[in-house]
Amino acid sequence: MTVHTILKMGDPRLLRHAQPVTAFDTPELHRLVADLHDTMAAANGAGLAAPQIGVDLQVVIFGSGAPNPRYPEAPIVPRTVLINPVITPLSDEEEEGWEGCLSVPGLRGVVPRWRRIRYQGFDAFGQAIDREAEGFHARVVQHECDHLWGTLYPMRVRDFTRFGFTEVLFPGLDANDDD
């Protein structure tokens, strides 16, 4: 498979609304999913959306089933392919947390997200996915799905006193893990 260049904030392709997938279990879709996994793994990402590699489709991947070096204290998120997602908050309760993004390298910010969500969609074979998530898992899903609607996490930051360079805010993290 292929490791792709990840688009950076400022690229207008990151601001588009992605198109729904209409054909499942195709060689093209499986290749895209494999490329997303290879690209995410090469960058130590917690997730990746197709628009981040310039593909205008509603496809996100997240989790690995193992600890993530970019978020070493975070709980493990199951490896998931989510296509044509729908997110429903399960309450109005929000939770603030630090986020970074492969498309916004070297920066982190505190972002409010729904604490508990239900997410629905499909896997690459067209099988339905219907799960509930909370905490970091819910945060990752919301962050990745935002990419499908043209939203980058800095657009959700409410307090810019809690936004800055990873190397300054988290000196114990390897700055190269944030690129």
Side-chain angles (χ1 to χ4, degrees), residues 66-77:
N68 184 283
R70 289 171 48 96
Y71 301 93
E73 304 300 319
I76 294 172
V77 175

Side-chain angles (χ1 to χ4, degrees), residues 136-148:
F136 185 71
H137 183 171
R139 176 172 300 283
V140 170
V141 174
Q142 291 171 80
H143 175 109
E144 296 310 326
C145 290
D146 265 359
H147 284 292
L148 304 179

Side-chain angles (χ1 to χ4, degrees), residues 84-132:
N84 300 344
V86 174
I87 296 176
T88 307
L90 295 177
S91 76
D92 290 335
E93 185 181 359
E94 289 183 343
E95 185 173 79
E96 291 186 331
W98 288 97
E99 293 187 20
C101 181
L102 298 173
S103 290
V104 189
L107 295 168
R108 298 270 175 119
V110 172
V111 179
R113 300 278 184 191
W114 291 309
R115 196 179 85 64
R116 293 183 58 244
I117 62 167
R118 176 181 183 193
Y119 63 93
Q120 299 168 285
F122 301 92
D123 68 14
F125 297 95
Q127 297 297 310
I129 294 173
D130 189 345
R131 296 183 189 155
E132 292 184 11

